[in-house]
Amino acid sequence: MTAKVIADDVEALTVVRALAAEFRAGASERDAERRLPRQEVERLSASGLLAVTVPAEHGGADVRQETLAEIFRLLATADASLAQIPQSHFVYVNVIRRQGNAEQREFFYGEVLAGRRFGNAQSEAGTRHVQDIRTRLETRPDGSYTLTGVKHYATGALFAHWIPVLARAEDDTLHVAYVPRDAPGLTVIDDWDGMGQRTTASGTVRLDGVRVPADRVLPHHLTFRGPQLHGAVAQLLHAAIDTGIAGGALAEAAEFVRTKSRPWFESGFETAAEDPLLIQRFGELAVETKASEALLREAARSVDAARADLTDDSAAEASVAVAAAKAHAARTAVEVAGALFEVAGTRSALASLNLHRHWRDARTHTLHDPARWKVQHIGRYVLSGTRPPRHGLL
């Protein structure tokens, strides 16, 4: 497999703008038919966008987090499902940066630059809570490992070349095993039936005695023993997706009102777009959307600053900034996607138009990590200077 190698931030943004316009054209039909975006994912790989965080010394663009967040925001304005698919890819590229040794970095960065994709096998269902990981990584006499467990919500796994699996070793420490998609004993099941993000293929991964060489396993538990940005980077991309959903919904609502909505008879205007009450509401929704975009940029810049000088304090500042962006974007995405019907009128509710995909995507995606806990950590930080915990979800 070959892929373009993007040189810098400017080129990355140029490429994603063109791809977003291309992906927007078929987004509604893919969602309505639950037609998985296999060709679109291949286009993402070939474009070089999936390799933009590879360090410069390994041949990558090593773009700023501000650029990466904008990439995800732009993709999500076009197709929120498609934007969600590579989120875990970048998270697990980041794990290699943090915990991979020299040989692992050289190998996996080469894979990413060639256009190969990481999925994820992280979350589990039916456990006590999200960090109750029961998938086991057992050591074999020759030093290799065996993986056994069942994963759910495995976004990207169906489209992946490598599936990073979160598992616990015999001493209960957390590791990531990078497993080839076609490994014996690994099964990916396309059983995702969520009301939103319908084409992410976030189904089930079963691991039945999967053999893993020792050099494909990374000690993820070490990530959280000092200041880290693992959670901030992951949550920044979630915030970018929510912000993009809001922007996409607002743009489609405006287009619908300009071209299809009828004015209310009492308004006295010839077109719905002239109605001052609608104008007011669009202004309110635009303010919220622009606020989410501004918070996203601020959060990304905070992460970039922390990467340049990583300390407990800089990591805390970045985590709090990202938490604020995520909490605001989650609320804005649901509000704007729901208000689309309020401003567009009765016709907008027709299933054939599929405008409800924006709300379904927003409502589904914003279930990633409760915003109320992010607000709690922000409040503690502001009131008492208590740094956020290092659990990787903030």
Side-chain angles (χ1 to χ4, degrees), residues 14-349:
T14 300
V15 170
V16 75
R17 289 187 187 105
L19 279 182
E22 176 185 324
F23 295 157
R24 183 176 290 107
S28 179
E29 290 78 9
R30 285 192 296 272
D31 175 89
E33 300 168 7
R34 198 181 178 272
R35 175 163 46 87
L36 299 182
R38 297 182 186 277
Q39 292 182 346
E40 289 76 14
V41 170
E42 290 295 335
R43 289 279 289 118
L44 267 179
S45 286
S47 75
L49 282 175
L50 299 185
V52 294
T53 59
V54 171
E57 60 266 28
H58 288 273
D62 201 9
V63 300
R64 299 187 305 273
Q65 295 301 295
E66 184 177 359
T67 298
L68 186 62
E70 182 67 358
I71 287 170
F72 273 78
R73 188 191 71 82
L74 289 169
L75 288 175
T77 64
D79 185 338
S81 286
L82 192 52
Q84 180 62 35
I85 290 169
Q87 192 264 349
S88 292
H89 170 89
F90 284 98
V91 168
Y92 286 103
V93 170
N94 197 38
V95 170
I96 292 166
R97 185 179 195 135
R98 178 81 180 194
Q99 295 303 336
N101 60 35
E103 292 77 15
Q104 289 168 330
R105 290 176 184 172
E106 182 176 0
F107 174 77
F108 279 117
Y109 287 151
E111 290 287 282
V112 173
L113 286 166
R116 295 186 177 89
R117 299 179 291 274
F118 295 163
N120 95 86
Q122 178 171 290
S123 295
E124 300 180 10
T127 57
R128 291 186 302 116
H129 51 69
V130 71
Q131 291 200 320
D132 182 15
I133 303 297
R134 300 183 183 181
T135 297
R136 308 311 296 183
L137 186 69
E138 298 177 343
T139 307
R140 295 175 54 80
D142 63 359
S144 65
Y145 297 92
T146 300
L147 269 174
T148 304
V150 180
K151 298 290 189 176
H152 298 269
Y153 315 120
T155 303
L158 195 68
F159 310 105
H161 299 94
W162 292 89
I163 301 179
V165 180
L166 204 59
R168 293 197 180 276
E170 286 105 332
D171 61 0
D172 213 38
T173 54
L174 205 58
H175 291 69
V176 177
Y178 289 74
V179 183
R181 167 69 176 81
D182 59 357
L186 186 152
T187 307
V188 181
I189 305 167
D190 179 21
D191 58 357
W192 169 243
D193 66 348
M195 67 173 181
Q197 295 199 295
R198 298 183 68 226
T199 60
T200 58
S202 301
T204 301
V205 171
R206 295 187 180 277
L207 305 144
D208 184 15
V210 177
R211 303 280 184 88
V212 185
D215 62 356
R216 298 294 180 261
V217 177
L218 278 67
H220 192 38
H221 59 101
L222 298 181
T223 299
F224 308 104
R225 292 189 178 176
Q228 51 82 31
L229 297 170
H230 176 80
V233 171
Q235 294 296 310
L236 180 70
L237 303 186
H238 283 310
I241 292 169
D242 289 340
T243 304
I245 292 172
L250 184 62
E252 191 150 8
E255 177 65 15
F256 193 94
V257 169
R258 283 193 298 265
T259 61
K260 297 182 177 65
S261 294
R262 297 183 297 180
W264 183 243
F265 72 95
E266 292 180 286
S267 73
F269 290 98
E270 290 296 316
T271 67
E274 296 173 283
D275 183 339
L277 298 180
L278 280 182
I279 291 170
Q280 176 72 22
R281 187 63 176 130
F282 268 100
E284 293 167 353
L285 297 172
V287 167
E288 291 302 311
T289 301
K290 288 182 178 296
S292 285
E293 291 170 357
L295 284 168
L296 181 68
R297 288 192 296 271
E298 179 184 347
R301 290 167 184 167
S302 184
V303 174
D304 281 325
R307 287 179 70 193
D309 182 20
L310 186 59
T311 65
D312 283 328
D313 287 337
S314 66
E317 286 284 345
S319 291
V320 168
V322 171
K326 179 66 171 66
H328 193 279
R331 185 184 67 204
T332 301
V334 174
E335 179 186 0
V336 174
L340 182 155
F341 305 100
E342 170 195 337
V343 296
T346 306
R347 187 181 175 191
S348 64

